[in-house]
């Protein structure tokens, strides 16, 4: 991993939106793309949609209706632990 992309290993956390359910704030599009890939490929969690927050500049990832807060939080905790212990990113399928 290039040093300039090491930030994608930053800890993430799940928050709850009153209307749209669980969500995760991510640093930028690359961070969102990586975390979305990990959630989909490794945890079978699909993103419903994402927004680019105008005020903070962060990307916000929202989940499909079948993804409860607890399910998303469990996956996020596993991702954070993997990054902390292994100090590397998950291997996800490259897109061509």
């Amino acid at each position: 991993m290039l040093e300039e992309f090491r930030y994608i290993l930053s800890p993430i956390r799940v928050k709850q939106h009153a209307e749209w359910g669980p969500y995760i704030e991510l640093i930028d599009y690359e961070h969102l793309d990586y975390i979305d890939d990990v959630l989909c490929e490794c945890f079978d969690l699909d993103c419903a949609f994402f927004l680019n927050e105008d005020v903070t500049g962060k990307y916000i990832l929202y989940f499909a209706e079948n993804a409860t807060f607890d399910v998303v939080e469990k996956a996020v905790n596993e991702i954070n632990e993997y990054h902390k212990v292994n100090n590397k990113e998950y291997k996800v399928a490259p897109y061509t």
Side-chain angles (χ1 to χ4, degrees):
M1 171 189 301
L2 294 174
E3 194 61 36
E4 65 188 89
F5 293 112
R6 188 153 293 285
Y7 68 89
I8 68 169
L9 302 180
S10 300
I12 55 177
R13 64 176 239 216
V14 182
K15 297 178 182 178
Q16 183 74 21
H17 187 278
E19 183 179 346
W20 297 331
Y23 70 94
I24 303 170
E25 289 183 1
L26 300 156
I27 298 167
D28 60 12
Y29 183 80
E30 285 77 20
H31 196 206
L32 174 130
D33 189 44
Y34 166 68
I35 294 298
D36 185 36
D37 288 347
V38 171
L39 289 167
C40 183
E41 293 180 28
C42 301
F43 297 94
D44 201 27
L45 282 173
D46 291 323
C47 164
F49 63 96
F50 73 89
L51 299 174
N52 179 252
E53 235 290 323
D54 291 334
V55 175
T56 65
K58 293 185 178 184
Y59 284 78
I60 303 173
L61 184 65
Y62 294 93
F63 295 88
E65 292 176 1
N66 62 348
T68 65
F69 183 90
D70 292 339
V71 168
V72 176
E73 184 177 50
K74 183 177 186 292
V76 163
N77 288 340
E78 288 184 38
I79 292 168
N80 286 337
E81 185 64 21
Y82 180 88
H83 287 163
K84 181 180 174 184
V85 169
N86 297 292
N87 198 31
K88 66 179 182 179
E89 61 190 302
Y90 276 83
K91 295 295 181 199
V92 289
Y95 293 96
T96 56

